[in-house]
Amino acid sequence: DYDMDIKVQREEAKEEGIEQGIEQGRILGTANDIIELLGEVGEVTEALKNKIMKEKHLDVLRRWLKLAAKSETIEEFEKSIEK
């Protein structure tokens, strides 16, 4: 019936919202991890921080995280993410 359909739709929307929130948390956490790792090798410019924080694809951020872990300088990291 109608009331049950509405209830199901609300539950689905709630679950979708939770999943989106979890994904956003992963994205934000990974971006922060990259910045923190890079901070160990040099000073991270505001421009680079902004670029990292604006990236919304988790697969890209995970690749950048690996590059940050391997980079010995900020410049090396910046060059590697431009490829």
Side-chain angles (χ1 to χ4, degrees):
D1 70 352
Y2 177 78
D3 289 336
M4 188 59 156
D5 287 345
I6 295 296
K7 185 176 180 178
V8 168
Q9 288 176 357
R10 286 183 178 154
E11 273 302 309
E12 289 172 353
K14 182 179 175 182
E15 288 175 17
E16 186 176 313
I18 291 170
E19 288 173 16
Q20 287 177 346
I22 291 169
E23 182 73 4
Q24 288 300 314
R26 286 185 181 134
I27 289 169
L28 182 60
T30 303
N32 284 323
D33 289 345
I34 293 166
I35 293 167
E36 185 176 336
L37 263 177
L38 291 173
E40 296 292 321
V41 297
E43 187 168 336
V44 184
T45 64
E46 285 301 314
L48 182 55
K49 284 181 188 176
N50 288 335
K51 180 175 184 147
I52 293 167
M53 295 306 290
K54 286 180 183 177
E55 180 55 55
K56 299 303 176 200
H57 295 94
L58 189 55
D59 56 332
V60 171
L61 288 168
R62 286 182 174 148
R63 182 171 54 83
W64 288 3
L65 182 62
K66 291 175 186 174
L67 292 169
K70 295 175 186 176
S71 297
E72 294 184 18
T73 65
I74 302 291
E75 293 77 19
E76 181 182 335
F77 173 78
E78 288 179 305
K79 287 179 185 173
S80 65
I81 67 171
E82 295 302 323
K83 294 180 181 175

